[in-house]
Amino acid sequence: MTIPEIISGPTDAIRDAILAPLVAHNESMVGPTERHTVAIVLRDDDGAIVGGLWGLTGFRWLFVQYLAVPPAMKGQGRGRALMLAAEDEARRLGCIGLWLDTFSFQARGFYEKLGYDVIGQIDDFPPGEARFFLRKRID
């Protein structure tokens, strides 16, 4: 029997090796899934990327992993435009919904205004705050 080993500098290859048996199990239960990376960017006047949305699809859902709008662009509808573009891309990819997480000090109300429902919460993550999980079906 091997003893668990903590890796001080994990790599993508190590992550992939750890995930391989989990992916095999999941796919044996529900079948294989198409996976896509979704990136929608915001650029400044010089063309530099200054924010945007990053997500991953799997099992016909788009997980919005990151949404970042720089302070100078907030309040101009940029976040909404990014989320609507992500919903359009999710539909194009055959997804039935989107899900994400946000902290109590971030944008829960923003997502709820766009039709996302809170489906879970972890209190004191970080201490004194909460982490919320939201979803929106688009099918």
Side-chain angles (χ1 to χ4, degrees):
M1 175 176 174
T2 62
I3 297 172
E5 173 189 354
I6 296 174
I7 303 294
S8 62
T11 63
D12 288 345
I14 291 171
R15 182 200 62 220
D16 293 345
I18 291 169
L19 283 176
L22 178 60
V23 169
H25 171 75
N26 291 349
E27 291 185 352
S28 75
M29 299 302 293
V30 297
T33 184
E34 283 193 45
R35 298 183 189 279
H36 300 275
T37 301
V38 174
I40 306 166
V41 301
L42 290 175
R43 294 184 185 271
D44 66 12
D45 292 336
D46 297 325
I49 296 173
V50 295
L53 181 146
W54 183 269
L56 308 164
T57 68
F59 299 109
R60 297 187 58 210
W61 282 81
L62 170 59
F63 169 51
V64 177
Q65 189 172 16
Y66 305 117
L67 176 69
V69 177
M73 292 183 176
K74 288 191 178 194
Q76 301 171 16
R78 303 280 171 78
R80 178 181 170 82
L82 286 166
M83 290 302 296
L84 293 176
E87 290 176 20
D88 288 344
E89 182 65 0
R91 281 186 195 91
R92 188 187 74 74
L93 294 170
C95 292
I96 60 173
L98 293 85
W99 70 282
L100 55 92
D101 63 89
T102 190
F103 294 103
S104 52
F105 55 86
Q106 289 180 325
R108 176 183 169 183
F110 165 77
Y111 295 116
E112 289 176 317
K113 286 179 188 174
L114 293 174
Y116 288 74
D117 298 311
V118 174
I119 56 171
Q121 174 178 336
I122 303 173
D123 293 325
D124 288 320
F125 186 179
E129 301 290 343
R131 189 171 188 173
F132 298 97
F133 297 84
L134 297 94
R135 69 136 187 231
K136 180 178 181 179
R137 289 192 70 107
I138 57 172
D139 59 348

